[in-house]
């Protein structure tokens, strides 16, 4: 027995007697038979004649072409306006962000100045106390 991809091949029946082929083989044979002559496929256009179709095809060549182009221009202009609006909104958003950054920078600068003032006051007070202690020690030693 012959093998195909390592599997034994089943022998096909060759009888022409009806009823001896399995349903699968009968369907295969029916698929190989030519179909009866059929008219070419057409859309079912009720009330439309071939002359109407010919005129429609000719009209499309210029009139509909121009209308399609005008429609695309309107479409592009509509989105161009929307994009311009988005750009304006983004500029406002950017301005608001810069204002907030400026406020934060101002707050940080204020905090730094306050910290520097506190540090300066602490050094000044420490220097005053140390000087006062030295002067008091001098007074105590002289008595």
């Amino acid at each position: 027995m012959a093998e195909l991809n390592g599997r034994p091949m089943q022998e096909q029946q060759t009888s022409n007697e009806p009823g001896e082929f399995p349903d699968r083989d009968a369907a295969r044979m029916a698929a190989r038979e030519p179909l009866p002559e059929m008219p070419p496929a057409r859309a079912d256009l009720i009330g439309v004649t071939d002359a109407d179709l010919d005129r429609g095809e000719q009209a499309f060549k210029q009139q509909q072409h121009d209308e399609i182009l005008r429609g695309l221009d309107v479409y592009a202009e509509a989105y161009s306006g929307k994009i311009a609006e988005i750009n304006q909104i983004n500029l406002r958003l950017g301005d608001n962000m810069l204002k907030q950054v400026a406020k934060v920078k101002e707050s940080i600068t204020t905090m730094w100045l306050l910290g520097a003032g506190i540090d300066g006051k602490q050094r000044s007070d420490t220097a005053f106390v140390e000087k006062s202690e030295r002067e008091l020690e001098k007074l105590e030693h002289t008595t």
Side-chain angles (χ1 to χ4, degrees):
M1 187 182 292
E3 291 185 3
L4 177 65
N5 293 331
R7 293 188 210 138
M9 291 178 48
Q10 296 178 354
E11 291 185 29
Q12 294 184 357
Q13 297 176 353
T14 58
S15 173
N16 289 331
E17 295 295 322
E20 290 192 16
F21 292 103
D23 291 339
R24 180 187 62 187
D25 291 339
R28 286 182 183 166
M29 287 182 66
R32 290 183 189 147
E33 294 175 8
L35 294 173
E37 192 68 33
M38 303 251 330
R42 287 192 59 118
D44 186 18
L45 302 173
I46 299 172
V48 177
T49 66
D50 288 336
D52 292 336
L53 291 175
D54 291 339
R55 280 195 305 272
E57 289 174 3
Q58 290 172 357
F60 175 78
K61 291 179 182 173
Q62 185 63 46
Q63 180 184 358
Q64 288 183 333
H65 172 265
D66 293 344
E67 289 175 11
I68 289 170
L69 293 182
R70 278 192 292 273
L72 290 172
D73 287 341
V74 168
Y75 181 80
E77 288 174 15
Y79 278 96
S80 177
K82 288 182 180 188
I83 290 171
E85 288 176 25
I86 290 170
N87 287 339
Q88 289 298 320
I89 290 169
N90 285 338
L91 288 174
R92 285 177 38 206
L93 181 63
D95 288 345
N96 290 338
M97 178 60 76
L98 291 175
K99 287 176 187 175
Q100 292 304 313
V101 167
K103 288 178 184 179
V104 169
K105 287 170 72 175
E106 182 180 348
S107 295
I108 289 173
T109 300
T110 301
M111 289 172 52
W112 181 82
L113 291 172
L114 288 172
I118 291 170
D119 289 345
K121 179 72 172 147
Q122 180 186 14
R123 283 190 300 274
S124 172
D125 289 353
T126 301
F128 174 76
V129 170
E130 289 174 353
K131 184 177 179 184
S132 298
E133 288 174 345
R134 283 193 302 273
E135 292 297 322
L136 285 174
E137 283 181 14
K138 286 183 189 176
L139 289 175
E140 289 176 4
H141 287 285
T142 55
T143 46

